[in-house]
């Protein structure tokens, strides 16, 4: 198969993570005899510094012609006070719009050998933590017009929590399809006891569920789920929810592992194209830049997700994921997941260890 992939190395520690991910991607494509075409893209901070635009038209054209986009870390403090359209994050926002991505997929699990890093009690962790967040990214307040005005009590600002059946159906269908490849269980999160948008969300998810009779569908209010995911994470497998709720609870779900830099994120469109990033897309510690100490596993896992979701290459994706698992089980660590006094590897060294563990 021919794989045409646009590569945005990103800001800060992004290039370091991306280097390891690309080396593993090249290796797996050699093993499975795929033609890998990588197209470097100038975007985010690099493009702002060069041409004053985080997503120049030529860069956008390369991304649109590719089958998928790999994107490293985005955002730096020096751009924090810039207008939105002049910040690195705007590149991702532009890509989402132009590629018509509808759904964010974020898998999270706790590796048993790293369970002590979780803030959860051991008895809870031992029950198992392994779920996937499926979040809409096409509707809700994040995608709304931003309204500002002067009112009776001074300045006002608000957005619209807008949804329609198509937006909800697109994301719900992805959730049910994923569940069919896992444990045949979907949990829908909403606030339908209060919000009209959530009532529409729940009824539409129920309608989609009728097309998947083998999948068990349950519902949970978002505030209840925020508690349950801590006290009994084993109850969840595929979790589907709206944009705002998903943005918050997916971060909670990641943080309860204690290892947030091990996971990936996919933003997919109905045509199969997607944007693939580390779960922690905006790495907060800028002192790590250029030090080769950032954990590359989230970016490597993103490459695996890309092979699965945009190219349908399940064996190849599994080969990378199995190599990650073996590296962790064999005791290889980067600084963020190493115990005090434990030897740890550089970004590049961890990538090399995982590459060496690739197998058919």
């Amino acid at each position: 198969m021919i794989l045409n992939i646009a590569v945005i190395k990103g800001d800060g520690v992004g290039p370091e993570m991306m280097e390891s991910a690309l080396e593993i991607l090249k290796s797996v494509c050699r093993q499975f005899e795929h033609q890998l075409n990588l197209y470097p893209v100038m975007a985010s901070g690099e493009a702002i510094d060069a041409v004053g635009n985080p997503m120049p038209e030529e860069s956008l054209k390369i991304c649109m012609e590719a089958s998928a986009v790999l994107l490293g870390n985005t955002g730096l403090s020096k751009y924090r006070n810039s207008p939105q359209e002049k910040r690195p994050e705007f590149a991702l926002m532009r890509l989402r719009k132009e590629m018509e991505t509808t759904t964010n997929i974020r898998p999270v699990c706790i590796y048993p050998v790293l369970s002590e890093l979780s803030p959860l009690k051991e008895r809870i962790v031992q029950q198992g933590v392994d779920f996937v967040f499926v979040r809409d990214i096409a509707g809700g307040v994040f995608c709304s017009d931003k309204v500002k005005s002067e009112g009776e009590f001074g300045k006002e600002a608000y957005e619209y929590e807008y949804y329609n059946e198509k937006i909800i159906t697109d994301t719900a269908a992805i959730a049910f399809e994923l569940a069919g490849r896992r444990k045949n269980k979907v949990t829908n999160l909403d606030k339908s006891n209060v919000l009209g948008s959530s009532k529409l969300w729940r009824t539409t998810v129920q309608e989609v569920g009728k097309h998947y009779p083998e999948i068990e569908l349950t519902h949970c209010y978002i505030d209840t789920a925020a508690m349950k995911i801590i006290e009994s994470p084993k109850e969840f497998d595929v979790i589907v929810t709206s944009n705002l709720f998903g943005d918050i609870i997916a971060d909670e779900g990641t943080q309860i592992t204690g290892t947030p830099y091990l996971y990936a994120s996919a933003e997919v469109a109905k045509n199969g194209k997607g944007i693939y990033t580390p779960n922690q897309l905006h790495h907060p510690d800028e002192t790590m830049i250029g030090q080769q100490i950032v954990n590359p596993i989230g970016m490597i896992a993103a490459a695996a997700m890309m092979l699965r979701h945009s190219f349908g290459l399940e064996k190849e994706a599994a080969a990378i994921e199995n190599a990650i698992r073996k590296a962790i089980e064999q005791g290889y660590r980067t600084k963020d997941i190493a115990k005090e006094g434990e030897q740890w590897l550089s970004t590049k060294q961890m990538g090399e260890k995982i590459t060496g563990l690739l197998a058919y």
Side-chain angles (χ1 to χ4, degrees), residues 37-308:
N37 299 322
L38 299 173
Y39 299 95
V41 176
M42 183 178 69
S44 296
E46 177 189 13
I48 294 172
D49 293 343
V51 298
N53 181 353
M55 180 53 73
E57 291 304 314
E58 181 57 33
S59 297
L60 179 63
K61 183 174 183 289
I62 295 171
C63 292
M64 295 300 292
E65 291 177 350
S67 299
V69 178
L70 285 174
L71 171 61
N73 185 65
T74 182
L76 290 171
S77 59
K78 71 177 184 177
Y79 302 109
R80 192 168 293 152
N81 296 322
S82 300
Q84 185 181 65
E85 66 276 8
K86 296 292 185 181
R87 295 176 61 178
E89 298 89 340
F90 187 76
L92 176 60
M93 296 170 65
R94 181 82 189 278
L95 274 180
R96 285 173 174 169
K97 180 179 179 181
E98 298 298 333
M99 293 178 67
E100 298 182 343
T101 57
T102 64
T103 305
N104 177 226
I105 304 170
R106 292 170 66 171
V108 175
C109 69
I110 291 181
Y111 292 90
V113 295
L114 298 176
S115 62
E116 65 185 83
L117 297 177
S118 171
L120 298 179
K121 293 180 178 178
E122 184 62 24
R123 62 176 176 81
I124 295 176
V125 174
Q126 287 178 351
Q127 296 173 4
V129 177
D130 183 2
F131 40 69
V132 179
F133 293 100
V134 182
R135 164 196 166 197
D136 158 68
I137 53 172
V141 293
F142 291 144
C143 300
S144 162
D145 291 336
K146 315 301 177 186
V147 182
K148 295 182 180 180
S149 62
E150 291 281 345
E152 180 182 356
F153 302 103
K155 293 180 179 179
E156 300 174 334
Y158 57 92
E159 290 83 24
Y160 298 96
E161 181 68 358
Y162 172 82
Y163 275 100
N164 60 45
E165 290 180 317
K166 182 182 182 304
I167 292 173
I168 302 167
T169 297
D170 286 345
T171 290
I174 289 174
F176 282 102
E177 290 289 338
L178 276 176
R181 300 194 292 270
R182 289 174 58 91
K183 299 177 182 177
N184 288 332
K185 181 179 180 180
V186 171
T187 303
N188 168 60
L189 309 184
D190 59 44
K191 195 63 177 172
S192 57
N193 57 332
V194 177
L195 301 176
S197 57
S198 273
K199 291 177 182 178
L200 175 64
W201 180 277
R202 179 174 291 203
T203 57
T204 304
V205 171
Q206 288 173 328
E207 286 300 311
V208 175
K210 292 178 181 179
H211 298 284
Y212 300 87
E214 73 283 5
I215 307 295
E216 175 191 356
L217 171 63
T218 58
H219 302 279
C220 188
Y221 295 137
I222 183 64
D223 44 354
T224 302
M227 295 183 288
K228 276 190 172 184
I229 208 167
I230 294 173
E231 67 181 16
S232 188
K234 68 174 183 178
E235 294 185 24
F236 298 97
D237 188 56
V238 174
I239 301 168
V240 64
T241 193
S242 60
N243 203 342
L244 178 60
F245 295 158
D247 182 57
I248 297 168
I249 201 163
D251 281 345
E252 179 191 5
T254 302
Q255 289 300 324
I256 66 172
T257 67
T259 55
Y261 301 108
L262 299 184
Y263 311 109
S265 175
E267 301 185 8
V268 296
K270 290 191 70 176
N271 62 8
K273 292 188 176 185
I275 306 166
Y276 298 88
T277 72
N279 187 304
Q280 300 295 303
L281 180 57
H282 314 292
H283 203 292
D285 188 354
E286 295 185 12
T287 65
M288 297 173 65
I289 298 172
Q291 302 299 309
Q292 280 288 314
I293 57 176
V294 66
N295 193 327
I297 291 180
M299 192 72 245
I300 294 168
M305 287 191 76
M306 177 191 68
L307 294 176
R308 175 177 292 116

Side-chain angles (χ1 to χ4, degrees), residues 19-31:
E19 180 183 5
S20 293
L22 294 183
E23 287 305 311
I24 288 171
L25 194 56
K26 292 172 185 176
S27 181
V28 80
C29 284
R30 283 194 298 268
Q31 287 189 25

